């Protein structure tokens, strides 16, 4: 492969890996390193461009992460683009001023007015909608810099020769309408050429895993949920590992209706030779029902999950465990660079007790839409690559604010099937990236058959997104809202139905 053309310096933004994803969409490879590792990498590598990510830090904080010591700020070696915190850091280090001004904070959609003469904004409308997420702002530009976009303050800046640029908003996220065009303009300014083909990725993943596994003939265990990620990973590895690959699916008690029929079908589509199903509903309910806190529930799910896999590792004398962990999971788990922990993921950062076991995450740099493309390339059925995501802990995360029980899980399971069937009836499933049906711990008074009832509340949440780092709430047509509400409240214990359209951020996709 050709040398990497773009270095992304990770300052802990939730969107850092999204930058890499956006560049791959444009056909250009990149590497992502913390400032310390980026400094070491720059000693022996010569990129065409450097991108500085966003962060939850303020550039003027005493211990805020800084620029790599080896970075060249003359513009002679490569073009630099600072995004959000990256722009603020450049301004702060080059003599400008960064402050927190209440009236200039921006979170979510914003409109910026740009200087269309600047090559960074070539063919971009003078006014365009962007996605912002910042409390600080550049209030004074460094010497030699000029403003090339404004919103509530300076929205973008550039030096005289356009070798050092800063953008206050996030061009990498889907909700910045002209984001791809802006990033393509940056690639053109940097002289980057296309060097990444997703079709090659399947072979790269196979080679990566074989490089670890080929030294011996130990079994390789894959955590198999039957979802897009694990099915695609199984389909990639099954041809090269054959009988060595053991796919383990766990009946946690938190699966949806008819889920295991789908799991079995998807394992066959992936060419899996060994599918092992472990029944553990009693253990999961017993452990998780002791708390109503979302993060604690994830931790308790993780405890049982780990014990089961430890047992299977020992049983098969496995040397490797492979999981379909995505970039989103790693980011939210706080395992990507210096990103903040949003929620625990049951299969990220596990410390296996078994000696010599290696934990492999071949999809760790990919996002959901990219895995769907791999599934298509592998000619998996559309039921796989169009499948809505479902969290590992499953319905345990959809009993919210009240202790989990077998009865409540069953109620949510049936409510989920009811909503899913209605969505399919109206053929709107392709408009929705993920559907969440949850039981809320809010009992309230209702009237059924002229009698007072005191029953449960169900929340229905649908989102639209390309990468699950940001998302818009989906608004159901009124006819669908009415049918869902009527169908759910026919259940004797369901009194109210709420529809949640909160975007991400500030909400996350799931309630817990």
């Amino acid at each position: 492969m050709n040398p990497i053309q773009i270095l992304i310096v990770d300052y802990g933004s939730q969107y850092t890996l999204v930058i890499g994803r956006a560049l791959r969409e444009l056909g250009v490879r990149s590497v992502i390193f913390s400032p310390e590792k980026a400094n070491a990498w720059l000693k022996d590598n010569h990129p065409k461009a450097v991108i500085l990510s966003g962060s939850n830090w303020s550039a003027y904080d005493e211990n805020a992460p800084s620029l790599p010591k080896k970075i060249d700020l003359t513009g002679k070696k490569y073009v630099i683009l600072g995004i959000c915190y990256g722009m603020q850091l450049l301004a702060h280090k080059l003599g400008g001023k960064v402050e927190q001004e209440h009236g200039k904070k921006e979170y979510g959609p914003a409109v910026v007015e740009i200087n269309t003469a600047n090559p960074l904004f070539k063919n971009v409308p003078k006014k365009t909608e962007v996605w912002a997420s910042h409390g600080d702002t550049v209030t004074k530009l460094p010497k030699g810099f000029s403003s090339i976009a404004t919103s509530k303050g300076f929205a973008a800046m550039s030096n005289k020769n356009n070798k050092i640029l800063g953008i206050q908003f996030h061009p990498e996220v889907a909700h910045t309408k002209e984001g791809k065009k802006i990033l393509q303009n940056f690639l053109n300014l940097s002289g980057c050429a296309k060097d990444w083909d997703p079709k090659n990725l399947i072979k790269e993943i196979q080679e990566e895993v074989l490089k670890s596994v080929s030294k011996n003939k130990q079994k390789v265990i894959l955590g198999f949920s039957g979802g897009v990620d694990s099915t695609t990973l199984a389909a990639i590895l099954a041809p090269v590992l054959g009988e060595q690959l053991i796919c383990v699916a766990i009946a946690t008690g938190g699966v949806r209706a008819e889920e295991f029929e789908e799991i079995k079908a998807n394992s066959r589509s992936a060419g899996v030779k060994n599918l092992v199903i472990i029944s553990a509903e009693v253990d999961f309910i017993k452990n998780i029902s002791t708390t109503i806190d979302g993060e604690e529930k994830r931790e308790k799910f993780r405890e049982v999950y780990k014990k089961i896999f430890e047992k299977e590792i020992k049983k098969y004398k496995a040397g490797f465990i492979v999981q379909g962990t995505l970039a989103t999971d790693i980011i939210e788990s706080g395992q990507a660079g210096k990103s903040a922990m949003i929620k625990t993921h049951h299969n990220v950062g596990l410390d296996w007790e078994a000696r010599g076991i290696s934990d492999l995450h071949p999809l760790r740099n990919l996002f959901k839409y990219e895995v769907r493309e791999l599934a298509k390339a592998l000619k998996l059925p559309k039921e796989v690559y169009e499948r809505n995501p479902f969290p590992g802990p499953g319905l345990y995360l959809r009993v919210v604010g009240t202790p989990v029980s077998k009865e409540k899980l069953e109620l949510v399971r049936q409510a989920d099937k009811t909503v899913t069937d209605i969505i399919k009836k109206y053929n709107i499933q392709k408009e929705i990236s993920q559907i969440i049906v949850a039981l809320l711990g809010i009992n309230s008074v209702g009237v059924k058959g002229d009698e007072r009832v005191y029953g449960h509340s169900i929340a229905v949440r649908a989102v639209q997104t390309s990468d699950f780092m940001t998302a818009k709430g989906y608004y159901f047509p009124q006819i669908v809202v009415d049918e869902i509400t009527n169908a759910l409240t026919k259940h004797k214990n369901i009194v109210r139905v709420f529809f949640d359209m909160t975007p991400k951020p500030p909400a996350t996709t799931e309630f817990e």
Side-chain angles (χ1 to χ4, degrees):
M1 279 192 173
N2 295 325
I4 294 292
Q5 298 182 85
I6 298 182
L7 164 66
I8 301 172
V9 183
D10 177 20
Y11 291 104
S13 169
Q14 297 295 316
Y15 303 142
T16 300
L17 292 185
V18 183
I19 301 172
R21 179 269 299 170
L23 295 175
R24 280 198 300 275
E25 274 192 338
L26 295 171
V28 179
R29 297 167 65 217
S30 62
V31 290
I32 300 174
F33 290 125
S34 66
E36 296 79 12
K37 291 183 179 179
N39 192 57
W41 188 84
L42 283 170
K43 292 178 181 178
D44 302 310
N45 295 274
H46 307 284
K48 293 182 178 179
V50 174
I51 296 177
L52 309 176
S53 85
S55 178
N56 56 352
W57 286 88
S58 293
Y60 48 78
D61 285 347
E62 185 178 350
N63 297 316
S66 190
L67 296 167
K69 293 180 181 179
K70 287 288 183 180
I71 198 167
D72 173 49
L73 294 176
T74 66
K76 294 179 180 179
K77 293 184 178 180
Y78 36 73
V79 182
I80 299 174
L81 174 65
I83 296 176
C84 198
Y85 174 82
M87 170 175 164
Q88 296 162 14
L89 183 60
L90 286 171
H92 180 68
K93 293 294 184 182
L94 294 172
K97 194 169 185 178
V98 178
E99 296 178 288
Q100 188 173 109
E101 293 189 357
H102 180 72
K104 294 183 179 179
K105 295 180 179 181
E106 293 176 304
Y107 300 101
V111 175
V112 299
E113 186 167 344
I114 64 174
N115 175 2
T116 56
N118 190 280
L120 184 65
F121 297 125
K122 183 179 179 181
N123 297 324
V124 175
K126 188 171 183 179
K127 286 188 177 181
T128 185
E129 188 173 312
V130 302
W131 189 266
S133 183
H134 64 95
D136 291 339
T137 188
V138 176
T139 56
K140 177 185 175 184
L141 296 174
K143 185 178 180 181
F145 281 73
S146 59
S147 171
I148 55 174
T150 57
S151 53
K152 291 185 177 181
F154 296 123
M157 66 180 192
S158 175
N159 69 348
K160 292 179 181 179
N161 58 6
N162 294 311
K163 293 294 185 180
I164 303 178
L165 307 115
I167 301 180
Q168 186 62 79
F169 54 88
H170 290 271
E172 70 271 23
V173 304
H175 300 313
T176 294
K177 290 187 176 180
E178 302 292 338
K180 287 285 182 62
K181 193 176 291 183
I182 293 169
L183 288 174
Q184 183 61 62
N185 287 337
F186 175 69
L187 294 177
N188 295 341
L189 277 170
S190 308
C192 292
K194 290 187 177 182
D195 64 353
W196 189 79
D197 182 353
K199 293 180 180 178
N200 294 333
L201 193 56
I202 293 170
K203 186 177 180 181
E204 287 183 17
I205 291 171
Q206 290 173 335
E207 290 175 350
E208 177 187 337
V209 174
L210 281 175
K211 186 178 180 180
S212 300
V213 173
S214 61
K215 296 177 182 178
N216 51 62
K217 292 295 180 181
Q218 285 178 295
K219 298 292 185 181
V220 177
I221 290 179
L222 190 155
F224 190 80
S225 69
V228 183
D229 312 324
S230 62
T231 302
T232 301
L233 184 55
I236 292 171
L237 299 181
V240 294
L241 293 180
E243 295 287 348
Q244 276 183 268
L245 185 65
I246 310 292
C247 288
V248 176
I250 305 175
T252 65
V255 299
R256 291 169 292 190
E258 302 170 359
E259 186 111 11
F260 268 91
E261 288 78 4
E262 191 174 347
I263 287 172
K264 292 173 183 176
N266 289 350
S267 72
R268 290 192 293 271
S269 298
V272 172
K273 297 183 182 297
N274 301 305
L275 176 65
V276 178
I277 297 176
I278 308 295
S279 181
E281 178 182 9
V282 174
D283 292 338
F284 277 101
I285 291 178
K286 181 180 178 181
N287 209 42
I288 298 172
S289 63
T290 59
T291 182
I292 63 171
D293 180 83
E295 184 60 20
E296 288 180 7
K297 284 161 69 174
R298 286 176 172 271
E299 288 283 2
K300 288 182 177 297
F301 183 95
R302 180 185 173 98
E303 289 171 6
V304 181
Y305 178 89
K306 181 181 176 183
K307 286 180 181 177
I308 291 171
F309 273 89
E310 291 280 8
K311 185 176 179 181
E312 296 306 302
I313 289 168
K314 185 176 180 180
K315 177 181 177 180
Y316 291 101
K317 298 180 181 178
F320 302 87
I321 184 162
V322 185
Q323 312 214 51
T325 314
L326 301 188
T328 318
D329 306 328
I330 292 173
I331 294 168
E332 291 187 335
S333 298
Q335 300 291 318
K338 297 180 181 294
S339 60
M341 198 281 284
I342 304 300
K343 60 180 71 168
T344 295
H345 285 264
H346 65 283
N347 57 356
V348 179
L350 287 166
D351 184 17
W352 300 105
E353 295 174 9
R355 290 185 179 181
I357 190 76
S358 295
D359 203 349
L360 306 178
H361 301 273
L363 308 181
R364 63 191 176 278
N365 290 321
L366 302 180
F367 289 83
K368 184 70 72 176
Y369 90 98
E370 294 171 312
V371 178
R372 293 189 195 281
E373 291 302 313
L374 291 183
K376 289 180 185 178
L378 290 161
K379 301 189 184 306
L380 288 169
K382 69 176 183 178
E383 289 77 14
V384 173
Y385 59 76
E386 290 183 356
R387 192 178 191 266
N388 262 207
F390 189 59
L395 300 179
Y396 288 101
L397 300 181
R398 297 183 180 179
V399 177
V400 183
T402 182
V404 171
S405 68
K406 187 174 182 178
E407 292 71 27
K408 289 172 186 173
L409 288 170
E410 185 57 35
L411 190 150
V412 176
R413 190 168 8 256
Q414 292 307 314
D416 176 88
K417 187 176 188 308
T418 297
V419 173
T420 301
D421 287 346
I422 292 171
I423 287 172
K424 289 179 179 178
K425 172 185 172 181
Y426 286 93
N427 197 30
I428 57 175
Q429 62 268 30
K430 287 187 178 180
E431 299 175 21
I432 298 169
S433 304
Q434 188 163 343
I435 181 76
I436 300 97
V437 180
L439 184 154
L440 302 181
I442 306 171
N443 281 15
S444 61
V445 176
V447 179
K448 292 192 177 186
D450 294 327
E451 293 184 359
R452 177 188 186 277
V453 294
Y454 193 63
H456 295 300
S457 300
I458 294 291
V460 179
R461 172 168 170 75
V463 298
Q464 295 175 311
T465 179
S466 60
D467 52 35
F468 286 89
M469 291 307 302
T470 60
K472 294 191 297 184
Y474 177 79
Y475 288 75
F476 289 100
Q478 188 62 48
I479 189 172
V480 179
V481 170
D482 292 342
E483 188 161 338
I484 288 174
T485 303
N486 291 336
L488 290 177
T489 52
K490 283 181 180 178
H491 190 289
K492 63 178 182 178
N493 292 324
I494 298 175
V495 173
R496 298 183 192 277
V497 179
F498 298 103
F499 289 83
D500 175 20
M501 285 78 76
T502 313
K504 175 184 180 179
T508 56
T509 306
E510 294 282 342
F511 289 98
E512 295 185 331

